[in-house]
Amino acid sequence: MEQYSNILKYKHLGIYTQNENVVYMREDCHVCISEGFEALTRIRVSMANRSIIASLNVINSEILLPNEIGLSDAAAKKLKVKENETLYVSHLEPIESLSYVRAKIYNQKLNYNAYNQIVSDIVEGDYSNIHLSAFITACAGDRMDINEISDLTKAMIASGQQLNWNKEIVVDKHCIGGLPGNRTTPLVVAIVAAYGLTMPKTSSRAITSPAGTADTMEVLTNVTLSADEIEHVVKQEGGCFVWGGTAQLSPADDVLIKIEKALDIDSEGQLIASVLSKKAAAGSTHVVIDIPVGETAKVRSMEMAQKLQNHMETVGNSVGLNVKVVITDGSQPVGNGIGPTLEAMDILKVLKNEERAPIDLKERVVLLAGELLELSGKVASGAGRQTALQLLESGKAYEKFLAICKAQGRFTRPVLAPYKTEIRAETSGILKRIDNRKIAKLAKLSGAPQSKSAGILLNVHLNDSVEKDQLLYTLYAESQGELHYALEYKNNHNDIITII
Amino acid sequence: MEQYSNILKYKHLGIYTQNENVVYMREDCHVCISEGFEALTRIRVSMANRSIIASLNVINSEILLPNEIGLSDAAAKKLKVKENETLYVSHLEPIESLSYVRAKIYNQKLNYNAYNQIVSDIVEGDYSNIHLSAFITACAGDRMDINEISDLTKAMIASGQQLNWNKEIVVDKHCIGGLPGNRTTPLVVAIVAAYGLTMPKTSSRAITSPAGTADTMEVLTNVTLSADEIEHVVKQEGGCFVWGGTAQLSPADDVLIKIEKALDIDSEGQLIASVLSKKAAAGSTHVVIDIPVGETAKVRSMEMAQKLQNHMETVGNSVGLNVKVVITDGSQPVGNGIGPTLEAMDILKVLKNEERAPIDLKERVVLLAGELLELSGKVASGAGRQTALQLLESGKAYEKFLAICKAQGRFTRPVLAPYKTEIRAETSGILKRIDNRKIAKLAKLSGAPQSKSAGILLNVHLNDSVEKDQLLYTLYAESQGELHYALEYKNNHNDIITII
C-alpha cells in the first residue's frame, strides 16, 4: 500500500454526533480516488500512536480542501488530534467480533469470550450505530439465557475501571425504572451513610424516562466526578451520589444506553448486565434492587418481576454480589414531582421532614433503606425499617445529605421553571388511574431531563376524590415551544389521568 | 410554538451520508437554544409543501452561521431545497410505526397493517440507521413466520411503483446468491427473449457478494433506466437487464439492503420479501428461483434449501406469482470470473460459443432457461433444456443480447483491470475444496464490485489435478492499495483453495 498517499491534514469541522466516530473526506481527495472508498465505508484513521475506526461521510463542497480530513467531535477527542496535524487513513481490517453479533442475530448462544470481544470493540468505538443497534436488538426479547447475561455482565465489568474500597461491606441499591418520580436513591444513601455503612452510589442518566437519579442530583450538586474525587468523597462521608459515566465504570453501558434510548427499548439481558456491571465495577458487595410492578410500570406483572428477581439474584451471585430484590407497588408515580428539579424538591421535603413531604416516597425510602441495613448484616432482621425511620426523622440523614453534596462540590437549591400551565379536572369523581408511561412522556415532551426544571408537579394521587376544576397537576417547561408541544400531546390524550 | 423563531436559511454543505437524512444546525442558533434540541435528536425539517425527518448533528464551528441550516445530500435531495431557501424545523411527532418495530423486537407477530406502516415510513426516510438496523435484526434468524413474510412482501410491493406489461405471461428468474461468479441471469434473459417470451429483468446490486447482476451488466450496458425507458426496451426486445433501484420498484428494499450490507447479513424473511416484492412489482407472473446448495454457499444444506423452497413458493402464491424453485449444486464458483468485468467476460464467451467458454455456466443457463420455458407453459415438459440449448448455440441468444444492450443505450466491451498478481499452486495434488465465502471476500477486498474490473479469474475447478507452480487464479485490482490488501488477506488464509 502506498502509505504516502494516505496522509491528510486534520481540519476541525466541529460536528457533534454524540458517540459515533465519523470521518469526513473530499470525494476528489487523492486517498478517496486511489483507494476507492465509498460513503459509509468504515475506515481506520491513525496518528503516530493511536487509531480509531470511523464511518466515512464524503464531502463535495468547500468545507474541506482535497488534502484535508475532518472528524466528528467524538472521533477527534478519542484521537486527541489538533488542527493541522497529520492523519493516516487505511482500509479497515475485518472486525472479528461482528461475527459473534451475526451469530447472535441467528439465535446462537455466545460465550464469555464472544461477549468480551464485542464489549471491548464497543468501548474502542469500533462499532457503528448500525452495529450497536443490531447487537442490542439481537440480545433483546428473551434472546439471552442466564449464562449469557452473566457473561455479558462480566465482560462489561472487565471493560472499564473497577473500584476497590478496601471495606468488607459496600452497599448499593437500584430501582428498575418505569415509575415516574421514584427518586428514593439519594435518600437511601443519606440514611445508610448516616448509619455508618459505605454506599458509593453511581447512577445512570435517564434512558427513556423523564429523569434518572444522576439528572436529579445534578440539580443539587456536581455528579460528574473523577474516580479520585469519588474516592475522596466516600472516604470522608461514607457515601456519594454521582453519575457512573465519567468514572469509566462499565463504559460499554454508556454507549449502549444511548442506542437503547434511540430505540426506546430496555431489554432484560441488557438491563441486568447494565445494572449489575455498574454495581460490581463500583466495588459493591451487598445490593438491594427495587422492582416496582404495575400495569404501566416498566415491569407489568408479578410473573415478570419474579423472573427478573430470579435472574438478578442468580447473575448477581455469579459476579460475586449479594443481591436482594424487593418487589414494590408500581401502580402510580411516586412523590409529587416528575422531572429533575421537581424530584429534587421532593427529596428535600422528605429530608427536612416537611409537613407537605410526599408520604409515599418516604415510605419507600425507609422500606428500602431498612432492607439494605438488614442485608448488610449490621441491623437485625426485622429492625431495618425502624432504624431507617429514626435516622430520617432525627435529621441525621439530612445532615449527611448536605455533607455529601458539599463534598461533591456544591449544594444548590432547586428553582422552578419559568413557563407553566395548570391542568385542572374536567369532571368530579374518583381518580381511578394514572398512566405512568403517558405522564412520563408528557414530562419528557415538556423538556425533561435535558431541561432540568421541566416536568410535572402532581397535586393528586390514586383514589383521591376530585372536584371539577380542582388542580390535577402543573406542567413546567423552560421554553414556550416545549410547553406548547407537551400541551398538544396532553390535549390529544385524555387518558393520562382517568377520573370516574 | 413560536414558529417565527424556527426559520433557518439553507446552506449547501455537500455531505454525502448515503441514504441517511442528517440535519446540521449550530449549537448557538436560536432554534437550538429556544427548543432545547440535543445531538442525535430526530427532528422534522419542512418547506412549504414537503417535509422530512432527519437526525440532528450539532455544529460548533464556522461551517454554518447561527441562522443557517445544512442537510446531508440525501435529505436535501428529498426536500428539493436550494441554497438560501427557507427551512422550518419542528419537534418530531412520535413515529407510530416504531411501536411495531419494538413489538417485533419483543418477539411479537406483526400483521399486514404493521408491516405496511413500517415500510411506508422507511420509504419516507423517517427511520434512522439505528431504527433500520433494529428492524432488520428483529426480523432475522427465523423470527418471521410465513404469514409475516407474505405481509412484508405485500407491503414492500405496495410501497412503490408496480409495472403492468399487458401480457398474459411475464417470466423472471432469480438466484439466491452466495455462489461467486454465478452470472446466469443475463444469459437466461437472452435465451428466453429470443424464444419470444417477455422477461423484463430487474436486478439488485451486490449485498454481500463481489458482484450482483446489475453490477456485472453495468460493465456492458446502461442499467439505470427510468420506468418509461424500461417499458420501451421491453416492448421492442421482449427483455431487459436493468437495476431495480431507480425504477422505484419496492423502494424499501433498496434502503434495507444497504443496512444488511453494513451488517453483512441476509435473513430469510427479508430475503424472500426482497426477491418476491421486486418480481411482483415488476409485473412478473412466472418465476424460476435457483437455490445453489453447498457447504460454503449462502444456503448450506438441503434442509435449509427445501425450507426456503417451500416458503418461496408459498409466499409467491400469496402475492399472485407462479414460483418454481430449482435446487442446484453450490459446491464451487460458477464460471471463471468473479467480479463485474470478469463475469461479463464469461457471459460473452458463452453467448459467442467460444471454445474457452465456461461449461458449468452454460449448463446452468440451459437448465434454468429450460425450466422457465416449461413453467411458462409454452414449451412442453421435458423439452425446455433442448430448446434453450438450440437458441444459445444457433447464435440467436447472442443476437438478442446485443439488441437488448443497444436498446438500453450502449454495448461496451469489457476491459481488464490495470493491476494483477498471479497466484500459483504451492504443491501438486488434487483440488479438493474452494471456499466460496473466502474467495468472494478476496474478490471484495480487491475492490469488487465498486471497482468493476477488480476480482478473480479462476484457472482451476474442483477435482482438477494440479501441478506445483500451476496458475490457480489471477487477482485483478484497480489500485495498488486494493491489490495489496487482497494479497494480505490471501497470505493470512491458506484455506481459500485446498489441494491434497
Side-chain angles (χ1 to χ4, degrees), chain A residues 15-16, chain B residues 8 13 20-25 40-45 52-59 64 69-72 75 87 89:
Chain A
I15 301 179
Y16 178 64
Chain B
L8 292 161
L13 291 176
E20 193 163 42
N21 292 343
V22 180
V23 53
Y24 304 88
M25 286 161 64
L40 268 192
T41 303
R42 303 269 292 165
I43 59 178
R44 183 167 288 284
V45 182
I52 56 164
I53 295 172
S55 298
L56 177 62
N57 279 193
V58 176
I59 302 292
L64 282 182
I69 180 170
L71 293 170
S72 62
L87 292 177
V89 302

PDB file of all heavy atoms in Angstrom, chain A residues 15-16, chain B residues 8 13 20-25 40-45 52-59 64 69-72 75 87 89:
ATOM      1  N   ILE A  15     -18.340  19.022  14.318  1.00  0.00           N
ATOM      2  CA  ILE A  15     -19.629  18.341  14.120  1.00  0.00           C
ATOM      3  C   ILE A  15     -19.808  17.341  15.253  1.00  0.00           C
ATOM      4  O   ILE A  15     -19.023  16.411  15.410  1.00  0.00           O
ATOM      5  CB  ILE A  15     -19.690  17.644  12.747  1.00  0.00           C
ATOM      6  CG1 ILE A  15     -19.488  18.671  11.627  1.00  0.00           C
ATOM      7  CG2 ILE A  15     -21.020  16.915  12.584  1.00  0.00           C
ATOM      8  CD1 ILE A  15     -19.509  18.082  10.221  1.00  0.00           C
ATOM      9  N   TYR A  16     -20.858  17.565  16.042  1.00  0.00           N
ATOM     10  CA  TYR A  16     -21.104  16.730  17.217  1.00  0.00           C
ATOM     11  C   TYR A  16     -22.149  15.671  16.879  1.00  0.00           C
ATOM     12  O   TYR A  16     -23.292  15.986  16.563  1.00  0.00           O
ATOM     13  CB  TYR A  16     -21.577  17.619  18.381  1.00  0.00           C
ATOM     14  CG  TYR A  16     -21.908  16.854  19.638  1.00  0.00           C
ATOM     15  CD1 TYR A  16     -20.922  16.153  20.331  1.00  0.00           C
ATOM     16  CD2 TYR A  16     -23.207  16.821  20.134  1.00  0.00           C
ATOM     17  CE1 TYR A  16     -21.221  15.450  21.482  1.00  0.00           C
ATOM     18  CE2 TYR A  16     -23.522  16.117  21.286  1.00  0.00           C
ATOM     19  CZ  TYR A  16     -22.523  15.434  21.961  1.00  0.00           C
ATOM     20  OH  TYR A  16     -22.831  14.729  23.091  1.00  0.00           O
TER      21      TYR A  16
ATOM     22  N   LEU B   8     -34.863  28.864   9.354  1.00  0.00           N
ATOM     23  CA  LEU B   8     -33.426  28.945   9.098  1.00  0.00           C
ATOM     24  C   LEU B   8     -33.181  28.961   7.585  1.00  0.00           C
ATOM     25  O   LEU B   8     -34.030  28.543   6.807  1.00  0.00           O
ATOM     26  CB  LEU B   8     -32.711  27.751   9.735  1.00  0.00           C
ATOM     27  CG  LEU B   8     -32.713  27.736  11.276  1.00  0.00           C
ATOM     28  CD1 LEU B   8     -32.406  26.346  11.801  1.00  0.00           C
ATOM     29  CD2 LEU B   8     -31.720  28.744  11.828  1.00  0.00           C
ATOM     30  N   LEU B  13     -23.857  22.065   2.372  1.00  0.00           N
ATOM     31  CA  LEU B  13     -22.598  21.628   2.977  1.00  0.00           C
ATOM     32  C   LEU B  13     -21.949  20.522   2.163  1.00  0.00           C
ATOM     33  O   LEU B  13     -20.766  20.249   2.311  1.00  0.00           O
ATOM     34  CB  LEU B  13     -22.831  21.134   4.409  1.00  0.00           C
ATOM     35  CG  LEU B  13     -23.222  22.184   5.449  1.00  0.00           C
ATOM     36  CD1 LEU B  13     -23.508  21.509   6.787  1.00  0.00           C
ATOM     37  CD2 LEU B  13     -22.108  23.217   5.608  1.00  0.00           C
ATOM     38  N   GLU B  20     -29.001   8.228   4.665  1.00  0.00           N
ATOM     39  CA  GLU B  20     -29.497   8.794   5.926  1.00  0.00           C
ATOM     40  C   GLU B  20     -29.708  10.304   5.851  1.00  0.00           C
ATOM     41  O   GLU B  20     -28.858  11.047   5.380  1.00  0.00           O
ATOM     42  CB  GLU B  20     -28.573   8.434   7.090  1.00  0.00           C
ATOM     43  CG  GLU B  20     -29.254   8.740   8.422  1.00  0.00           C
ATOM     44  CD  GLU B  20     -28.606   8.066   9.630  1.00  0.00           C
ATOM     45  OE1 GLU B  20     -27.376   8.031   9.704  1.00  0.00           O
ATOM     46  OE2 GLU B  20     -29.338   7.593  10.501  1.00  0.00           O
ATOM     47  N   ASN B  21     -30.871  10.714   6.370  1.00  0.00           N
ATOM     48  CA  ASN B  21     -31.177  12.138   6.483  1.00  0.00           C
ATOM     49  C   ASN B  21     -30.494  12.699   7.718  1.00  0.00           C
ATOM     50  O   ASN B  21     -30.806  12.300   8.834  1.00  0.00           O
ATOM     51  CB  ASN B  21     -32.681  12.363   6.642  1.00  0.00           C
ATOM     52  CG  ASN B  21     -33.458  11.998   5.402  1.00  0.00           C
ATOM     53  OD1 ASN B  21     -32.899  11.861   4.310  1.00  0.00           O
ATOM     54  ND2 ASN B  21     -34.763  11.844   5.550  1.00  0.00           N
ATOM     55  N   VAL B  22     -29.566  13.622   7.516  1.00  0.00           N
ATOM     56  CA  VAL B  22     -28.926  14.291   8.643  1.00  0.00           C
ATOM     57  C   VAL B  22     -29.139  15.788   8.467  1.00  0.00           C
ATOM     58  O   VAL B  22     -29.051  16.309   7.350  1.00  0.00           O
ATOM     59  CB  VAL B  22     -27.410  13.971   8.717  1.00  0.00           C
ATOM     60  CG1 VAL B  22     -26.760  14.677   9.903  1.00  0.00           C
ATOM     61  CG2 VAL B  22     -27.175  12.471   8.807  1.00  0.00           C
ATOM     62  N   VAL B  23     -29.450  16.474   9.565  1.00  0.00           N
ATOM     63  CA  VAL B  23     -29.598  17.927   9.535  1.00  0.00           C
ATOM     64  C   VAL B  23     -28.523  18.522  10.441  1.00  0.00           C
ATOM     65  O   VAL B  23     -28.229  17.982  11.506  1.00  0.00           O
ATOM     66  CB  VAL B  23     -31.025  18.369   9.955  1.00  0.00           C
ATOM     67  CG1 VAL B  23     -31.433  17.768  11.290  1.00  0.00           C
ATOM     68  CG2 VAL B  23     -31.148  19.880   9.999  1.00  0.00           C
ATOM     69  N   TYR B  24     -27.893  19.597   9.974  1.00  0.00           N
ATOM     70  CA  TYR B  24     -26.811  20.244  10.712  1.00  0.00           C
ATOM     71  C   TYR B  24     -27.275  21.627  11.151  1.00  0.00           C
ATOM     72  O   TYR B  24     -27.733  22.423  10.321  1.00  0.00           O
ATOM     73  CB  TYR B  24     -25.556  20.366   9.835  1.00  0.00           C
ATOM     74  CG  TYR B  24     -25.091  19.023   9.276  1.00  0.00           C
ATOM     75  CD1 TYR B  24     -25.588  18.534   8.076  1.00  0.00           C
ATOM     76  CD2 TYR B  24     -24.171  18.247   9.983  1.00  0.00           C
ATOM     77  CE1 TYR B  24     -25.185  17.292   7.576  1.00  0.00           C
ATOM     78  CE2 TYR B  24     -23.758  17.014   9.499  1.00  0.00           C
ATOM     79  CZ  TYR B  24     -24.273  16.543   8.288  1.00  0.00           C
ATOM     80  OH  TYR B  24     -23.874  15.319   7.811  1.00  0.00           O
ATOM     81  N   MET B  25     -27.163  21.897  12.461  1.00  0.00           N
ATOM     82  CA  MET B  25     -27.532  23.212  12.979  1.00  0.00           C
ATOM     83  C   MET B  25     -26.494  23.642  14.013  1.00  0.00           C
ATOM     84  O   MET B  25     -25.937  22.812  14.716  1.00  0.00           O
ATOM     85  CB  MET B  25     -28.925  23.164  13.632  1.00  0.00           C
ATOM     86  CG  MET B  25     -30.060  23.066  12.620  1.00  0.00           C
ATOM     87  SD  MET B  25     -31.602  22.450  13.372  1.00  0.00           S
ATOM     88  CE  MET B  25     -31.919  23.775  14.522  1.00  0.00           C
ATOM     89  N   LEU B  40     -28.365  14.193  17.889  1.00  0.00           N
ATOM     90  CA  LEU B  40     -28.997  12.903  17.594  1.00  0.00           C
ATOM     91  C   LEU B  40     -30.489  12.894  17.855  1.00  0.00           C
ATOM     92  O   LEU B  40     -31.148  11.894  17.645  1.00  0.00           O
ATOM     93  CB  LEU B  40     -28.344  11.742  18.328  1.00  0.00           C
ATOM     94  CG  LEU B  40     -27.236  11.046  17.542  1.00  0.00           C
ATOM     95  CD1 LEU B  40     -26.848   9.743  18.212  1.00  0.00           C
ATOM     96  CD2 LEU B  40     -27.662  10.772  16.103  1.00  0.00           C
ATOM     97  N   THR B  41     -31.035  13.992  18.318  1.00  0.00           N
ATOM     98  CA  THR B  41     -32.476  14.115  18.355  1.00  0.00           C
ATOM     99  C   THR B  41     -32.959  14.025  16.919  1.00  0.00           C
ATOM    100  O   THR B  41     -32.292  14.470  16.002  1.00  0.00           O
ATOM    101  CB  THR B  41     -32.872  15.483  18.939  1.00  0.00           C
ATOM    102  OG1 THR B  41     -32.286  15.594  20.222  1.00  0.00           O
ATOM    103  CG2 THR B  41     -34.375  15.621  19.049  1.00  0.00           C
ATOM    104  N   ARG B  42     -34.085  13.444  16.735  1.00  0.00           N
ATOM    105  CA  ARG B  42     -34.675  13.392  15.398  1.00  0.00           C
ATOM    106  C   ARG B  42     -35.676  14.538  15.290  1.00  0.00           C
ATOM    107  O   ARG B  42     -36.491  14.741  16.187  1.00  0.00           O
ATOM    108  CB  ARG B  42     -35.402  12.059  15.201  1.00  0.00           C
ATOM    109  CG  ARG B  42     -34.493  10.866  15.415  1.00  0.00           C
ATOM    110  CD  ARG B  42     -33.836  10.401  14.163  1.00  0.00           C
ATOM    111  NE  ARG B  42     -34.791   9.840  13.238  1.00  0.00           N
ATOM    112  CZ  ARG B  42     -34.516   9.631  11.952  1.00  0.00           C
ATOM    113  NH1 ARG B  42     -33.340   9.971  11.459  1.00  0.00           N
ATOM    114  NH2 ARG B  42     -35.411   9.093  11.163  1.00  0.00           N
ATOM    115  N   ILE B  43     -35.585  15.320  14.226  1.00  0.00           N
ATOM    116  CA  ILE B  43     -36.485  16.459  14.085  1.00  0.00           C
ATOM    117  C   ILE B  43     -37.110  16.482  12.697  1.00  0.00           C
ATOM    118  O   ILE B  43     -36.653  15.806  11.785  1.00  0.00           O
ATOM    119  CB  ILE B  43     -35.772  17.804  14.346  1.00  0.00           C
ATOM    120  CG1 ILE B  43     -34.610  17.997  13.368  1.00  0.00           C
ATOM    121  CG2 ILE B  43     -35.286  17.893  15.778  1.00  0.00           C
ATOM    122  CD1 ILE B  43     -33.912  19.326  13.546  1.00  0.00           C
ATOM    123  N   ARG B  44     -38.186  17.259  12.567  1.00  0.00           N
ATOM    124  CA  ARG B  44     -38.828  17.407  11.264  1.00  0.00           C
ATOM    125  C   ARG B  44     -38.316  18.688  10.611  1.00  0.00           C
ATOM    126  O   ARG B  44     -38.245  19.736  11.253  1.00  0.00           O
ATOM    127  CB  ARG B  44     -40.356  17.443  11.412  1.00  0.00           C
ATOM    128  CG  ARG B  44     -41.070  17.518  10.070  1.00  0.00           C
ATOM    129  CD  ARG B  44     -42.562  17.238  10.159  1.00  0.00           C
ATOM    130  NE  ARG B  44     -42.863  15.838  10.403  1.00  0.00           N
ATOM    131  CZ  ARG B  44     -42.793  14.859   9.492  1.00  0.00           C
ATOM    132  NH1 ARG B  44     -42.419  15.137   8.245  1.00  0.00           N
ATOM    133  NH2 ARG B  44     -43.094  13.625   9.817  1.00  0.00           N
ATOM    134  N   VAL B  45     -37.933  18.596   9.339  1.00  0.00           N
ATOM    135  CA  VAL B  45     -37.466  19.751   8.574  1.00  0.00           C
ATOM    136  C   VAL B  45     -38.437  19.938   7.416  1.00  0.00           C
ATOM    137  O   VAL B  45     -38.677  19.008   6.648  1.00  0.00           O
ATOM    138  CB  VAL B  45     -36.041  19.510   8.026  1.00  0.00           C
ATOM    139  CG1 VAL B  45     -35.545  20.739   7.285  1.00  0.00           C
ATOM    140  CG2 VAL B  45     -35.082  19.131   9.153  1.00  0.00           C
ATOM    141  N   ILE B  52     -39.313  16.318   5.771  1.00  0.00           N
ATOM    142  CA  ILE B  52     -38.598  15.074   6.049  1.00  0.00           C
ATOM    143  C   ILE B  52     -38.281  15.012   7.539  1.00  0.00           C
ATOM    144  O   ILE B  52     -38.352  16.022   8.240  1.00  0.00           O
ATOM    145  CB  ILE B  52     -37.256  14.984   5.288  1.00  0.00           C
ATOM    146  CG1 ILE B  52     -36.378  16.198   5.622  1.00  0.00           C
ATOM    147  CG2 ILE B  52     -37.467  14.834   3.781  1.00  0.00           C
ATOM    148  CD1 ILE B  52     -34.934  16.020   5.257  1.00  0.00           C
ATOM    149  N   ILE B  53     -37.908  13.810   7.987  1.00  0.00           N
ATOM    150  CA  ILE B  53     -37.391  13.633   9.339  1.00  0.00           C
ATOM    151  C   ILE B  53     -35.888  13.390   9.214  1.00  0.00           C
ATOM    152  O   ILE B  53     -35.454  12.673   8.316  1.00  0.00           O
ATOM    153  CB  ILE B  53     -38.080  12.437  10.016  1.00  0.00           C
ATOM    154  CG1 ILE B  53     -39.572  12.723  10.193  1.00  0.00           C
ATOM    155  CG2 ILE B  53     -37.427  12.135  11.369  1.00  0.00           C
ATOM    156  CD1 ILE B  53     -40.363  11.529  10.673  1.00  0.00           C
ATOM    157  N   ALA B  54     -35.118  14.013  10.086  1.00  0.00           N
ATOM    158  CA  ALA B  54     -33.663  13.865   9.992  1.00  0.00           C
ATOM    159  C   ALA B  54     -33.041  13.795  11.381  1.00  0.00           C
ATOM    160  O   ALA B  54     -33.622  14.275  12.356  1.00  0.00           O
ATOM    161  CB  ALA B  54     -33.071  15.042   9.220  1.00  0.00           C
ATOM    162  N   SER B  55     -31.859  13.164  11.465  1.00  0.00           N
ATOM    163  CA  SER B  55     -31.089  13.136  12.716  1.00  0.00           C
ATOM    164  C   SER B  55     -30.266  14.409  12.812  1.00  0.00           C
ATOM    165  O   SER B  55     -29.630  14.816  11.845  1.00  0.00           O
ATOM    166  CB  SER B  55     -30.120  11.948  12.726  1.00  0.00           C
ATOM    167  OG  SER B  55     -30.829  10.744  12.667  1.00  0.00           O
ATOM    168  N   LEU B  56     -30.264  15.037  13.980  1.00  0.00           N
ATOM    169  CA  LEU B  56     -29.547  16.297  14.161  1.00  0.00           C
ATOM    170  C   LEU B  56     -28.085  16.058  14.534  1.00  0.00           C
ATOM    171  O   LEU B  56     -27.788  15.299  15.448  1.00  0.00           O
ATOM    172  CB  LEU B  56     -30.233  17.107  15.267  1.00  0.00           C
ATOM    173  CG  LEU B  56     -29.577  18.442  15.648  1.00  0.00           C
ATOM    174  CD1 LEU B  56     -29.558  19.399  14.473  1.00  0.00           C
ATOM    175  CD2 LEU B  56     -30.304  19.071  16.830  1.00  0.00           C
ATOM    176  N   ASN B  57     -27.181  16.664  13.798  1.00  0.00           N
ATOM    177  CA  ASN B  57     -25.777  16.780  14.212  1.00  0.00           C
ATOM    178  C   ASN B  57     -25.561  18.250  14.543  1.00  0.00           C
ATOM    179  O   ASN B  57     -25.957  19.137  13.770  1.00  0.00           O
ATOM    180  CB  ASN B  57     -24.816  16.370  13.087  1.00  0.00           C
ATOM    181  CG  ASN B  57     -24.622  14.850  12.968  1.00  0.00           C
ATOM    182  OD1 ASN B  57     -23.722  14.389  12.295  1.00  0.00           O
ATOM    183  ND2 ASN B  57     -25.479  14.080  13.613  1.00  0.00           N
ATOM    184  N   VAL B  58     -24.951  18.503  15.689  1.00  0.00           N
ATOM    185  CA  VAL B  58     -24.810  19.884  16.152  1.00  0.00           C
ATOM    186  C   VAL B  58     -23.433  20.429  15.763  1.00  0.00           C
ATOM    187  O   VAL B  58     -22.416  19.777  15.995  1.00  0.00           O
ATOM    188  CB  VAL B  58     -25.006  19.964  17.683  1.00  0.00           C
ATOM    189  CG1 VAL B  58     -24.761  21.377  18.176  1.00  0.00           C
ATOM    190  CG2 VAL B  58     -26.415  19.519  18.048  1.00  0.00           C
ATOM    191  N   ILE B  59     -23.423  21.623  15.173  1.00  0.00           N
ATOM    192  CA  ILE B  59     -22.190  22.225  14.661  1.00  0.00           C
ATOM    193  C   ILE B  59     -21.688  23.297  15.639  1.00  0.00           C
ATOM    194  O   ILE B  59     -22.461  24.147  16.075  1.00  0.00           O
ATOM    195  CB  ILE B  59     -22.458  22.906  13.298  1.00  0.00           C
ATOM    196  CG1 ILE B  59     -23.007  21.889  12.294  1.00  0.00           C
ATOM    197  CG2 ILE B  59     -21.205  23.601  12.765  1.00  0.00           C
ATOM    198  CD1 ILE B  59     -22.030  20.834  11.867  1.00  0.00           C
ATOM    199  N   LEU B  64     -21.174  26.698   9.501  1.00  0.00           N
ATOM    200  CA  LEU B  64     -22.531  27.260   9.410  1.00  0.00           C
ATOM    201  C   LEU B  64     -22.567  28.539  10.247  1.00  0.00           C
ATOM    202  O   LEU B  64     -21.871  28.647  11.250  1.00  0.00           O
ATOM    203  CB  LEU B  64     -23.564  26.299   9.999  1.00  0.00           C
ATOM    204  CG  LEU B  64     -24.032  25.095   9.204  1.00  0.00           C
ATOM    205  CD1 LEU B  64     -25.098  24.353  10.007  1.00  0.00           C
ATOM    206  CD2 LEU B  64     -24.606  25.502   7.841  1.00  0.00           C
ATOM    207  N   ILE B  69     -28.806  26.448   8.193  1.00  0.00           N
ATOM    208  CA  ILE B  69     -29.077  25.035   8.425  1.00  0.00           C
ATOM    209  C   ILE B  69     -28.502  24.254   7.248  1.00  0.00           C
ATOM    210  O   ILE B  69     -28.580  24.701   6.097  1.00  0.00           O
ATOM    211  CB  ILE B  69     -30.608  24.808   8.565  1.00  0.00           C
ATOM    212  CG1 ILE B  69     -30.940  23.343   8.818  1.00  0.00           C
ATOM    213  CG2 ILE B  69     -31.386  25.303   7.340  1.00  0.00           C
ATOM    214  CD1 ILE B  69     -32.407  23.123   9.212  1.00  0.00           C
ATOM    215  N   GLY B  70     -27.877  23.119   7.539  1.00  0.00           N
ATOM    216  CA  GLY B  70     -27.346  22.262   6.480  1.00  0.00           C
ATOM    217  C   GLY B  70     -28.068  20.925   6.474  1.00  0.00           C
ATOM    218  O   GLY B  70     -28.723  20.560   7.452  1.00  0.00           O
ATOM    219  N   LEU B  71     -27.954  20.212   5.350  1.00  0.00           N
ATOM    220  CA  LEU B  71     -28.571  18.889   5.230  1.00  0.00           C
ATOM    221  C   LEU B  71     -27.602  17.940   4.547  1.00  0.00           C
ATOM    222  O   LEU B  71     -26.794  18.361   3.712  1.00  0.00           O
ATOM    223  CB  LEU B  71     -29.853  18.960   4.381  1.00  0.00           C
ATOM    224  CG  LEU B  71     -31.046  19.736   4.936  1.00  0.00           C
ATOM    225  CD1 LEU B  71     -32.116  19.887   3.857  1.00  0.00           C
ATOM    226  CD2 LEU B  71     -31.638  19.035   6.155  1.00  0.00           C
ATOM    227  N   SER B  72     -27.681  16.668   4.874  1.00  0.00           N
ATOM    228  CA  SER B  72     -26.942  15.675   4.090  1.00  0.00           C
ATOM    229  C   SER B  72     -27.531  15.664   2.679  1.00  0.00           C
ATOM    230  O   SER B  72     -28.680  16.061   2.470  1.00  0.00           O
ATOM    231  CB  SER B  72     -27.062  14.297   4.729  1.00  0.00           C
ATOM    232  OG  SER B  72     -28.406  13.868   4.755  1.00  0.00           O
ATOM    233  N   ALA B  75     -30.936  14.084   2.274  1.00  0.00           N
ATOM    234  CA  ALA B  75     -32.043  14.880   2.819  1.00  0.00           C
ATOM    235  C   ALA B  75     -32.356  16.060   1.908  1.00  0.00           C
ATOM    236  O   ALA B  75     -33.528  16.359   1.639  1.00  0.00           O
ATOM    237  CB  ALA B  75     -31.679  15.368   4.222  1.00  0.00           C
ATOM    238  N   LEU B  87     -35.997  27.054   5.489  1.00  0.00           N
ATOM    239  CA  LEU B  87     -36.479  25.786   6.048  1.00  0.00           C
ATOM    240  C   LEU B  87     -37.034  26.040   7.435  1.00  0.00           C
ATOM    241  O   LEU B  87     -36.561  26.907   8.160  1.00  0.00           O
ATOM    242  CB  LEU B  87     -35.342  24.756   6.113  1.00  0.00           C
ATOM    243  CG  LEU B  87     -34.816  24.250   4.768  1.00  0.00           C
ATOM    244  CD1 LEU B  87     -33.649  23.300   4.988  1.00  0.00           C
ATOM    245  CD2 LEU B  87     -35.924  23.538   3.997  1.00  0.00           C
ATOM    246  N   VAL B  89     -37.979  24.147  11.078  1.00  0.00           N
ATOM    247  CA  VAL B  89     -37.745  22.904  11.837  1.00  0.00           C
ATOM    248  C   VAL B  89     -38.701  22.825  13.016  1.00  0.00           C
ATOM    249  O   VAL B  89     -39.092  23.842  13.594  1.00  0.00           O
ATOM    250  CB  VAL B  89     -36.291  22.776  12.340  1.00  0.00           C
ATOM    251  CG1 VAL B  89     -35.309  22.837  11.191  1.00  0.00           C
ATOM    252  CG2 VAL B  89     -35.978  23.831  13.382  1.00  0.00           C
TER     253      VAL B  89
END
